[in-house]
Amino acid sequence: MHHLSSIAFAGALLCTGGVASAQTPQTTQTERPATTFPYTPGLDVTAMDKNADPCVDFYQYACGGWMKNNPVPADQARWSVYSKLAQDNQRYLWGILDGLAKQRDGRSATQQKIGDYFGACMDEGAIAKRGAEPLTPFLNQIDGMASTRELPRVLAALQLALSSEDFFFGFSSNQDFGDSTRVIAFASGGGLGLPDRDYYLKSDKRSKEIRAKYEAHVATMFGLVGEAPAAAKRSAATVLRIETALAQASLTRVDKRDPYKLFNKTSLKGLQAMTPGFDWKTYLAAVGQPGLDTFNVTEPKFFKAFGKQLRSNDLAAIKTYLRWHVLEAMAPALAPQFDQPHFAFFSQTLRGVEKQPPRWKRCVQLVDGQLGEALGQEFVSRAFSPELKAKSLHMTRQVEEAMAKDIESLNWMSPETKKRAREKLDAIVNKIGYPDTWRDYSAYRVRSDDFTGNVVRGTGFENRRQLAKIGKPLDRSEWLMTPPTVNAYFNPQMNDINFPAGVLQPPLFDPKMDDAPGYGNTGGTIGHELTHAFDDEGRQFDAKGNLKDWWTKKDGKEFTERAACIVDQYAKYTVVDDVKINSKLTLGEDVADLGGLILGWMAWKTQMASMPQQAQDKTLRDGLTPEQRFFVGYAQWACENDRPENLRVTAVTDPHSPGKYRVNGVVINMPEFEKAFACKPGQPMAAVKRCRVW
């Protein structure tokens, strides 16, 4: 995915996981639903710092004004051009949802669902009045267990209703890595409350402090459901002990970038052998998938550790662990006494967020997460014209043509591998704006007076929808993002690039702007997603989306050597304090950033060649040449400010480098940039040694 990680996007999309946002005070007087989008140009001169030398720090030159004038809002962990557009989209959606919530007649079935969901979410009085009541059925299920033999049934119920991966492990569906036409069951590692395994295993002072605060938070939450302080403290210690054992057996995020390490197909007998104390037949029947005999176990070591935890812990400890994850998953959908401490730890302590976001934001995000394509229909009908889609497709095809030329020009790749690369490129499907067929939500019951119930039913609807794919024909038309989302992605198994309507809005895609910044920004973004098909992870899948080595041994070695140049370059960059970029984690995004901008440049030159009069026009605009405008247009998507606490989290969890290095780290590798700004050899933005893969 490009530009924004899911974590950076407020962590608020609720699809198959627990709720991840916070209840908030009433809307302030300055906030109003929007009926139109505020216009920000694709190249904003006021966002620049022209006192900075572009050859010394291009990011400061392109974004210095923006950073000065856009401090991180109190309710955000970070703030960026992408965040701003996401909020503009949210305000627009707020207007739609507010109207539908108040409307009683003339609504379609989907309009009724999204309107009633939003209205129930905004009714803070009703939510507060219910208090802990929504927890009761889940806690009763856990308390009613007479032995660990009942765990498969109870665990299945909790995973379906609350989270498919927070309770010990994840269980869902995905394409078979070996045969992308098949959808099979995936069992994956999970079950941790902290953001990453490293939070449990590192021994530095800050990591120990975070663990201590986490344990105290867990104890606080247990106290809210009636445990005495001493008992709550013991319960929290039990949770941390079990989660630490699971973390020790979990793959690192770098390891998870290697699909071969995640590809471990087995039978029911093989899965059962990993966890002898867990009855998989009972579990499968409870999740509605009896009779399955083909599984991909992404982390066999983890499942063996899970089995060991079942043997080494008594029933009381298992119940304690499950109770905690019920509280964690449900807290943001409950009354303030549960939601506020959840926010205090996961947002304030971990990410430095000063105050809870306004209620309307949370409710818009939840509607988008649980009824995203229903909401997307409303968004697209108002904000994404056929002309805009056509223009987006035109640029996409130009970038793909540039990729074809780039592949043919590579002097390090053999004709045999080039042929396979072209086959893969030619097979890529472009998905622009929104799905061809909208999702059917008729089985999802939404009530206007039951917010928490809506959240639980929405999670159950999505989890069952995912499980129902197992053994069925693959739906290649499906999207993994909703139309209003400000993001984009490449899916290596589908072999498609996906650009939601939400990201194809100014300033990221600005049809009013001249071509130079547009091809730098959107062209670079399209190129980025296209390059993901050939980054260190994507290149391991063939044209059909199968995990298959289609490279000659020599060409594979050549790729690795070129990628190592980028790993070494980014490893020198500091994220915050003494924390460096984990460049093995960010490699795919760093490769895609550079490859994407090169392709954007090539596509822009093709566009100019088709319009000779424009190509010959060297008139300065805003004091910039067309070439300079191309690079400034690219850089300004990445303007951002970030809290140091959040930077520490993203340094561990986010496969994207910070915005500064997604700009400076790219342009120093492009001789076109050095020429455009007349940089002299030896200046910081004029690298002596350049990296390039694509």
Side-chain angles (χ1 to χ4, degrees):
M1 295 179 187
H2 188 24
H3 297 168
L4 281 177
S5 71
S6 58
I7 290 173
F9 188 42
L13 296 188
L14 172 64
C15 295
T16 58
V19 190
S21 187
Q23 295 188 52
T24 59
Q26 291 291 335
T27 302
T28 64
Q29 290 184 347
T30 57
E31 292 171 329
R32 293 286 185 273
T35 55
T36 59
F37 285 105
Y39 173 71
T40 303
L43 191 157
D44 185 356
V45 180
T46 66
M48 299 175 67
D49 175 7
K50 290 196 174 182
N51 291 321
D53 186 340
C55 297
V56 174
D57 185 347
F58 182 58
Y59 186 72
Q60 177 65 33
Y61 174 78
C63 290
W66 191 96
M67 291 187 289
K68 180 181 178 181
N69 296 320
N70 290 273
V72 181
D75 67 339
Q76 300 290 318
R78 68 189 292 268
W79 193 241
S80 66
V81 169
Y82 263 53
S83 304
K84 169 81 164 51
L85 177 56
Q87 181 168 278
D88 289 343
N89 283 3
Q90 287 172 347
R91 289 186 67 238
Y92 189 73
L93 293 169
W94 179 19
I96 294 171
L97 290 167
D98 187 57
L100 290 174
K102 294 172 181 174
Q103 183 180 339
R104 284 293 174 262
D105 299 320
R107 297 184 299 178
S108 68
T110 54
Q111 289 175 332
Q112 173 267 317
K113 276 187 166 61
I114 61 178
D116 286 356
Y117 189 115
F118 183 78
C121 182
M122 292 294 289
D123 190 351
E124 294 176 282
I127 296 166
K129 188 175 180 180
R130 291 191 69 186
E133 178 193 336
L135 291 168
T136 302
F138 302 107
L139 296 180
N140 285 346
Q141 278 183 304
I142 296 167
D143 292 341
M145 290 171 56
S147 73
T148 54
R149 287 192 298 273
E150 296 180 49
L151 178 63
R153 174 184 55 79
V154 172
L155 195 60
L158 295 174
Q159 288 179 343
L160 283 174
L162 301 179
S163 170
S164 62
E165 59 186 22
D166 284 354
F167 295 87
F168 280 120
F169 59 83
F171 192 81
S172 192
S173 63
N174 203 353
Q175 290 168 260
D176 186 337
F177 283 178
D179 180 1
S180 66
T181 66
R182 299 183 63 211
V183 180
I184 63 173
F186 269 56
S188 57
L192 306 181
L194 287 168
D196 185 78
R197 67 184 292 278
D198 288 0
Y199 278 82
Y200 297 88
L201 309 181
K202 285 186 174 181
S203 58
D204 60 279
K205 181 181 177 182
R206 177 162 178 80
S207 296
K208 289 179 179 178
E209 289 175 351
I210 290 292
R211 285 197 293 272
K213 290 178 180 178
Y214 176 60
E215 191 170 349
H217 167 65
V218 176
T220 296
M221 298 298 283
F222 277 122
L224 293 175
V225 289
E227 290 195 13
K233 190 174 181 179
R234 289 193 298 272
S235 293
T238 296
V239 169
L240 189 61
R241 175 174 54 77
I242 293 174
E243 289 185 354
T244 300
L246 297 177
Q248 289 170 337
S250 299
L251 291 177
T252 67
R253 289 187 183 248
V254 173
D255 283 336
K256 289 178 181 180
R257 287 192 51 74
D258 183 349
Y260 284 98
K261 290 182 178 178
L262 302 176
F263 188 29
N264 305 284
K265 284 179 73 172
T266 189
S267 63
L268 178 60
K269 183 178 180 181
L271 180 59
Q272 188 64 68
M274 294 179 199
T275 55
F278 187 80
D279 186 347
W280 281 97
K281 286 186 177 180
T282 298
Y283 174 85
L284 292 171
V287 296
Q289 295 294 318
L292 293 185
D293 195 42
T294 301
F295 306 86
N296 183 48
V297 181
T298 62
E299 301 181 54
K301 181 182 176 183
F302 176 92
F303 279 89
K304 291 175 183 177
F306 165 59
K308 184 177 179 181
Q309 288 301 301
L310 297 186
R311 295 191 298 274
S312 61
N313 284 285
D314 59 19
L315 179 62
I318 298 297
K319 286 183 175 182
T320 295
Y321 170 87
L322 295 177
R323 280 199 303 271
W324 157 240
H325 281 278
V326 168
L327 290 168
E328 180 196 21
M330 292 195 68
L334 297 174
Q337 65 262 36
F338 292 95
D339 169 68
Q340 287 172 357
H342 179 94
F343 170 84
F345 178 76
F346 287 103
S347 293
Q348 287 183 319
T349 299
L350 283 184
R351 298 183 179 276
V353 181
E354 296 172 10
K355 70 174 186 178
Q356 299 185 32
R359 181 73 183 176
W360 68 264
K361 279 188 187 179
R362 175 183 184 276
C363 294
V364 169
Q365 289 172 331
L366 283 171
V367 177
D368 188 39
Q370 295 203 304
L371 289 156
E373 291 194 13
L375 182 59
Q377 291 181 61
E378 302 296 322
F379 181 82
V380 166
S381 67
R382 295 164 171 83
F384 195 68
S385 67
E387 292 78 17
L388 199 57
K389 182 169 183 174
K391 190 174 179 69
S392 306
L393 274 169
H394 172 70
M395 187 181 287
T396 301
R397 291 179 182 125
Q398 286 181 318
V399 173
E400 288 173 336
E401 290 169 5
M403 180 60 128
K405 292 176 183 176
D406 182 56
I407 290 170
E408 291 304 319
S409 71
L410 296 175
N411 57 16
W412 57 269
M413 184 178 280
S414 69
E416 181 183 349
T417 305
K418 284 182 180 180
K419 180 182 178 184
R420 300 297 182 213
R422 278 300 308 271
E423 288 175 357
K424 180 168 184 176
L425 175 63
D426 292 343
I428 289 176
V429 174
N430 300 323
K431 295 179 178 176
I432 305 295
Y434 51 90
D436 293 331
T437 303
W438 295 107
R439 187 165 298 163
D440 178 8
Y441 292 100
S442 58
Y444 174 15
R445 185 168 60 93
V446 172
R447 286 175 46 183
S448 61
D449 61 350
D450 184 15
F451 166 60
T452 308
N454 291 339
V455 173
V456 171
R457 287 187 292 273
T459 304
F461 168 82
E462 179 61 18
N463 287 336
R464 288 183 173 85
R465 190 182 74 84
Q466 294 292 340
L467 290 169
K469 296 178 183 179
I470 298 172
K472 303 291 194 311
L474 176 67
D475 179 7
R476 289 193 174 273
S477 68
E478 185 172 13
W479 283 59
L480 303 181
M481 284 181 177
T482 68
T485 301
V486 182
N487 211 330
Y489 69 95
F490 169 77
N491 185 330
Q493 290 181 273
M494 288 285 198
N495 199 27
D496 60 18
I497 55 176
N498 303 256
F499 285 84
V503 80
L504 296 171
Q505 306 287 337
L508 300 179
F509 184 59
D510 184 2
K512 297 179 181 179
M513 186 62 54
D514 56 298
D515 283 330
Y519 277 80
N521 190 327
T522 305
T525 302
I526 295 168
H528 174 107
E529 300 307 338
L530 201 59
T531 304
H532 270 314
F534 304 96
D535 69 12
D536 62 307
E537 187 175 8
R539 78 178 188 88
Q540 300 186 74
F541 293 84
D542 66 13
K544 295 180 179 179
N546 296 321
L547 186 59
K548 182 179 180 181
D549 189 358
W550 47 272
W551 295 65
T552 66
K553 187 174 182 180
K554 180 178 180 298
D555 291 341
K557 183 180 178 182
E558 292 277 3
F559 176 93
T560 301
E561 289 175 356
R562 282 161 175 75
C565 178
I566 291 179
V567 170
D568 293 342
Q569 174 192 337
Y570 281 79
K572 298 172 184 175
Y573 296 145
T574 300
V575 179
V576 62
D577 302 330
D578 60 348
V579 180
K580 301 289 186 181
I581 289 177
N582 181 352
S583 57
K584 291 182 179 179
L585 175 62
T586 64
L587 175 59
E589 300 297 337
D590 298 334
V591 167
D593 282 340
L594 176 56
L597 193 56
I598 290 171
L599 294 178
W601 177 273
M602 293 172 67
W604 176 53
K605 289 300 182 181
T606 298
Q607 176 72 0
M608 290 298 97
S610 70
M611 307 171 72
Q613 189 171 358
Q614 283 195 27
Q616 294 169 12
D617 182 6
K618 299 299 181 181
T619 304
L620 295 182
R621 299 189 188 190
D622 304 317
L624 301 170
T625 68
E627 288 75 15
Q628 291 171 340
R629 289 177 68 77
F630 173 89
F631 286 107
V632 173
Y634 167 74
Q636 287 193 340
W637 73 256
C639 299
E640 66 182 26
N641 283 309
D642 219 317
R643 297 185 187 278
E645 297 92 341
N646 190 58
L647 284 170
R648 294 186 189 100
V649 175
T650 56
V652 175
T653 61
D654 194 348
H656 303 81
S657 297
K660 177 179 180 178
Y661 304 117
R662 299 188 71 180
V663 173
N664 287 354
V666 169
V667 299
I668 64 169
N669 289 313
M670 292 188 66
E672 297 88 349
F673 172 83
E674 185 177 328
K675 182 180 178 181
F677 287 93
C679 299
K680 299 174 183 177
Q683 289 187 289
M685 296 293 100
V688 176
K689 177 187 177 183
R690 291 195 176 98
C691 300
R692 179 171 176 178
V693 180
W694 297 101

